[in-house]
Amino acid sequence: MIHRRTNSYDKFFSIRNVVLGVSVATALLVLLYTPARNAVTQAVFVVAPGIWKSDGTAIEVKDSFWAVFRTKQSLVEENSYLLSELSRMQAQVLDRNLLAEKVAKLDEALGRAHGDNRVVAEVIAGPRQAAYDTLIIDAGREQGVTVGDEVVYAGSGLVGTVVEVFDSLSKIKLYSTPEEDHLVLAGEDRLPVVAVGRGMGNFTAKVPQGSGLKIGDNIISLEGGFILGTVSFVEEKPAEPFDRIFFRVPFNVAEMHSVEVVKTKQ
Amino acid sequence: MKKRIFFNFAMIAALFFLPWWILAVLAFAGVFFFTPYYEVLAFGFLADLLYNTSSNYIWGMSSFVAAIFIFIAMTYFKKIVR
C-alpha cells in the first residue's frame, strides 16, 4: 500500500490557504482601487446608519429604565454633558470676538457682501470609535454636501473637510489628522505658519524666534477666518532659530454632537 | 460555535460603538481563542471602509494591515505557548 506523504508545500497550498490568500488579495485590491473602494463603501453605508442609530434607541431604552434609579451615575452623566456644553460655549465666545473683528473689517471695506450657506449635521461616529481623525455626519449628497466643503463646530471652530460623500452621510477628515500640513495665520499679527496635525484636535507649528506668540493666541484659517485653535504651549530653544508652538482646538473633538458644513457650491 | 457567533456580535458592537482600542483588544483575543479566526480580517476591512480614507496612512488600509498582522502574529504566538 502506497501512502502519499503530505509535505509542507502541500500544507501551505491547501484549499483553505489559497481561498484566504485570494480573499486578502481581493480586499487589498478593493482598498487600493478607489472606484471599487467607493462602490463597496457605498454598500456598507447603506447598512451602517441603521446600526449607528440603533445605539441611540438602545440608549433611550436604557435611560428610561434607569431613570427610576437616578443616582450618582445620572449626576456624572449630567456633569459630562455640561462640560461638553461649556466647551462649545467657549468656542462660541471666541467666535463672537472674531465676529466683532470681522464686522470692523467689513465696515472698512464697505460693500463687501459676505455670507455662506451652511448645513447643520449630527455627528454619528467620530474619533472615539475610529483610530483615525474622521467623523461620520448625517448629511450627504441629498443635503447638497460636496467633497471639499469645510466643516465647522459652534459657528467658527474649524474642524475638517469633507472627503467622501454618500446619499445621506458624509465622511469628514479632521485637520488635526497626524502629519497633515495646513497653512494658517497665528496670533494678532496674523503670522503665516504651517500647522502640522498631531491627532484629536492637536497641532504643532514652527515659528521664528521672537515672533511674540503666546499662550492663548488664536490660530485662524487662511480662508474664511475660522478658528483652528488656541496656543497652549510655546517651546523655546535658544540654540535653534525656531520656536515650536503647540495648539489645540478650543473644544473636545470627541464630544462634538453636531457640526455645520459650509457649502462651497451654492 | 455559539461562543464564536456571540463573540462576532461583540466585535460588531465594538466596531460601531466602542473606542477603537477595545476592538483591537477583542481582535487579539479572538485570534487567540478561536482557530483560525478569519473574521478579524473582515473586521479590519470594514473598519477601513467605515472610518478610514484613502488619503491616510498606507493608502487608507491601516486597519486591514493591522488585522493581517494580528492574525499572523497571534497564530504564531499560539503555536509557541500551546
Side-chain angles (χ1 to χ4, degrees), chain A residues 16 20 27-28 31 37 40-41 44-45 51-52 55 128-132 134 136 163 171 173 177 179, chain B residues 16-20 38 41 45-46 48-53 55-57 59-64 68:
Chain A
R16 200 174 71 176
L20 179 66
L28 286 172
L31 289 171
R37 184 184 180 126
V40 179
T41 310
V44 170
F45 272 70
I51 301 173
W52 274 314
D55 181 42
R128 195 187 282 264
Q129 285 97 334
Y132 323 102
T134 52
I136 312 293
V163 286
K171 200 181 282 181
K173 187 175 182 181
T177 301
E179 306 304 319
Chain B
F16 281 92
F17 308 119
L18 299 179
W20 64 269
Y38 295 125
L41 303 175
F45 181 69
L46 268 178
D48 276 332
L49 292 181
L50 285 170
Y51 303 115
N52 213 344
T53 65
S55 57
N56 273 349
Y57 286 131
W59 304 282
M61 49 183 203
S62 41
S63 293
F64 187 62
I68 293 173

Side-chain angles (χ1 to χ4, degrees), chain A residues 93-243:
Chain A
V93 168
L94 287 171
D95 176 30
R96 296 295 159 264
N97 296 343
L98 260 183
L99 279 176
E101 266 183 53
K102 263 187 189 174
V103 168
K105 280 181 185 169
L106 281 171
D107 282 346
E108 282 175 25
L110 277 171
R112 186 185 153 205
H114 178 77
D116 49 30
N117 192 4
R118 296 184 180 201
V119 176
V120 177
E122 192 188 339
V123 177
I124 53 176
R128 195 187 282 264
Q129 285 97 334
Y132 323 102
D133 272 24
T134 52
L135 298 178
I136 312 293
I137 59 167
D138 70 346
R141 210 172 285 126
E142 288 164 3
Q143 287 74 31
V145 176
T146 52
V147 171
D149 285 352
E150 285 186 329
V151 179
V152 296
Y153 176 68
S156 72
L158 193 59
V159 171
T161 184
V162 177
V163 286
E164 286 175 37
V165 181
F166 309 97
D167 288 342
S168 58
L169 293 173
S170 300
K171 200 181 282 181
I172 315 300
K173 187 175 182 181
L174 300 187
Y175 281 117
S176 58
T177 301
E179 306 304 319
E180 288 274 321
D181 295 351
H182 303 284
L183 190 60
V184 293
L185 303 171
E188 288 168 8
D189 297 334
R190 301 285 187 263
L191 184 74
V193 294
V194 176
V196 183
R198 296 176 66 229
M200 287 298 280
N202 295 289
F203 298 87
T204 184
K206 278 182 177 175
V207 294
Q209 263 194 7
S211 61
L213 281 173
K214 55 190 183 303
I215 293 170
D217 278 349
N218 285 337
I219 310 293
I220 314 289
S221 70
L222 210 57
E223 285 176 19
F226 298 116
I227 300 167
L228 195 66
T230 48
V231 178
S232 55
F233 184 70
V234 181
E235 188 184 64
E236 291 173 357
K237 286 184 180 171
E240 289 177 15
F242 291 100
D243 289 341

Side-chain angles (χ1 to χ4, degrees), chain B residues 4 7-8 11 23-24 26-28 30-31 36-46 63-64 66-72:
Chain B
R4 192 164 179 151
F7 189 81
N8 282 336
M11 287 286 281
L23 182 71
L26 285 176
F28 275 103
V31 179
Y37 192 62
Y38 295 125
E39 292 94 317
V40 73
L41 303 175
F43 284 111
F45 181 69
L46 268 178
S63 293
F64 187 62
I68 293 173
F69 171 77
I70 290 171
F71 185 78
I72 294 169

